[in-house]
Short mmCIF file of all heavy atoms in Angstrom, two decimals:
data_model
loop_
_atom_site.label_atom_id
_atom_site.label_comp_id
_atom_site.label_asym_id
_atom_site.label_seq_id
_atom_site.Cartn_x
_atom_site.Cartn_y
_atom_site.Cartn_z
N ALA A 103 11.34 -12.10 -11.01
CA ALA A 103 12.00 -11.85 -12.29
C ALA A 103 11.18 -10.97 -13.19
O ALA A 103 11.72 -10.25 -14.01
CB ALA A 103 12.35 -13.19 -12.96
N ASP A 104 9.87 -11.06 -13.06
CA ASP A 104 8.99 -10.27 -13.91
C ASP A 104 8.52 -8.97 -13.24
O ASP A 104 7.39 -8.52 -13.44
CB ASP A 104 7.76 -11.09 -14.37
CG ASP A 104 6.92 -11.63 -13.22
OD1 ASP A 104 7.39 -11.60 -12.07
OD2 ASP A 104 5.79 -12.05 -13.48
N ALA A 105 9.39 -8.38 -12.46
CA ALA A 105 9.07 -7.14 -11.72
C ALA A 105 8.62 -6.04 -12.68
O ALA A 105 9.03 -6.01 -13.86
CB ALA A 105 10.29 -6.66 -10.94
N LEU A 106 7.72 -5.17 -12.19
CA LEU A 106 7.18 -4.10 -12.99
C LEU A 106 8.14 -2.93 -13.09
O LEU A 106 8.94 -2.66 -12.20
CB LEU A 106 5.90 -3.61 -12.31
CG LEU A 106 4.78 -4.66 -12.14
CD1 LEU A 106 3.68 -4.10 -11.22
CD2 LEU A 106 4.23 -5.06 -13.47
N SER A 107 7.98 -2.18 -14.18
CA SER A 107 8.73 -0.93 -14.33
C SER A 107 8.06 0.15 -13.48
O SER A 107 6.92 -0.05 -13.01
CB SER A 107 8.70 -0.49 -15.81
OG SER A 107 7.39 -0.07 -16.18
N GLN A 108 8.73 1.24 -13.28
CA GLN A 108 8.16 2.32 -12.49
C GLN A 108 6.90 2.85 -13.18
O GLN A 108 5.90 3.12 -12.54
CB GLN A 108 9.18 3.43 -12.32
CG GLN A 108 8.68 4.55 -11.41
CD GLN A 108 9.82 5.50 -10.99
OE1 GLN A 108 10.96 5.27 -11.30
NE2 GLN A 108 9.44 6.55 -10.32
N GLU A 109 6.93 2.93 -14.50
CA GLU A 109 5.77 3.40 -15.26
C GLU A 109 4.56 2.46 -15.06
O GLU A 109 3.44 2.90 -14.81
CB GLU A 109 6.11 3.51 -16.74
CG GLU A 109 4.96 4.03 -17.58
CD GLU A 109 5.31 4.17 -19.03
OE1 GLU A 109 6.47 4.53 -19.37
OE2 GLU A 109 4.43 3.89 -19.88
N GLU A 110 4.79 1.17 -15.14
CA GLU A 110 3.72 0.18 -14.94
C GLU A 110 3.15 0.32 -13.52
O GLU A 110 1.95 0.24 -13.32
CB GLU A 110 4.24 -1.23 -15.17
CG GLU A 110 4.54 -1.53 -16.62
CD GLU A 110 5.31 -2.84 -16.78
OE1 GLU A 110 6.19 -3.14 -15.96
OE2 GLU A 110 4.96 -3.55 -17.75
N SER A 111 4.01 0.49 -12.53
CA SER A 111 3.57 0.66 -11.16
C SER A 111 2.71 1.90 -10.99
O SER A 111 1.70 1.86 -10.32
CB SER A 111 4.75 0.72 -10.21
OG SER A 111 5.44 -0.47 -10.20
N HIS A 112 3.13 3.02 -11.59
CA HIS A 112 2.38 4.26 -11.51
C HIS A 112 0.99 4.07 -12.14
O HIS A 112 -0.02 4.56 -11.62
CB HIS A 112 3.12 5.38 -12.18
CG HIS A 112 4.27 5.90 -11.39
ND1 HIS A 112 5.07 6.89 -11.78
CD2 HIS A 112 4.77 5.49 -10.18
CE1 HIS A 112 6.03 7.11 -10.89
NE2 HIS A 112 5.84 6.28 -9.91
N GLU A 113 0.93 3.36 -13.28
CA GLU A 113 -0.37 3.10 -13.95
C GLU A 113 -1.27 2.31 -13.05
O GLU A 113 -2.48 2.57 -12.96
CB GLU A 113 -0.12 2.38 -15.24
CG GLU A 113 0.48 3.24 -16.35
CD GLU A 113 0.81 2.42 -17.62
OE1 GLU A 113 0.41 1.26 -17.71
OE2 GLU A 113 1.49 2.99 -18.49
N LEU A 114 -0.70 1.30 -12.36
CA LEU A 114 -1.51 0.46 -11.45
C LEU A 114 -1.99 1.26 -10.24
O LEU A 114 -3.11 1.05 -9.78
CB LEU A 114 -0.75 -0.79 -11.03
CG LEU A 114 -0.56 -1.85 -12.15
CD1 LEU A 114 0.34 -2.95 -11.70
CD2 LEU A 114 -1.92 -2.38 -12.62
N LEU A 115 -1.15 2.14 -9.71
CA LEU A 115 -1.60 2.99 -8.59
C LEU A 115 -2.75 3.89 -9.00
O LEU A 115 -3.72 4.06 -8.24
CB LEU A 115 -0.43 3.84 -8.09
CG LEU A 115 0.58 3.08 -7.19
CD1 LEU A 115 1.80 3.96 -6.95
CD2 LEU A 115 -0.09 2.71 -5.86
N GLN A 116 -2.65 4.45 -10.21
CA GLN A 116 -3.76 5.31 -10.69
C GLN A 116 -5.02 4.50 -10.92
O GLN A 116 -6.12 4.92 -10.52
CB GLN A 116 -3.34 6.01 -12.00
CG GLN A 116 -2.29 7.05 -11.83
CD GLN A 116 -1.78 7.62 -13.15
OE1 GLN A 116 -2.08 7.08 -14.21
NE2 GLN A 116 -1.00 8.68 -13.08
N LEU A 117 -4.86 3.34 -11.49
CA LEU A 117 -5.99 2.45 -11.71
C LEU A 117 -6.64 2.01 -10.39
O LEU A 117 -7.86 1.99 -10.24
CB LEU A 117 -5.56 1.25 -12.55
CG LEU A 117 -6.67 0.33 -13.07
CD1 LEU A 117 -7.61 1.08 -13.97
CD2 LEU A 117 -5.99 -0.81 -13.86
N ALA A 118 -5.82 1.72 -9.42
CA ALA A 118 -6.32 1.32 -8.09
C ALA A 118 -7.12 2.45 -7.45
O ALA A 118 -8.14 2.21 -6.81
CB ALA A 118 -5.15 0.88 -7.16
N GLY A 119 -6.64 3.66 -7.64
CA GLY A 119 -7.37 4.79 -7.11
C GLY A 119 -8.79 4.91 -7.70
O GLY A 119 -9.75 5.08 -7.01
#
Side-chain angles (χ1 to χ4, degrees):
D104 59 345
L106 300 169
S107 70
Q108 186 168 353
E109 182 180 324
E110 291 169 319
S111 295
H112 286 181
E113 288 174 11
L114 288 173
L115 282 169
Q116 290 173 350
L117 190 58

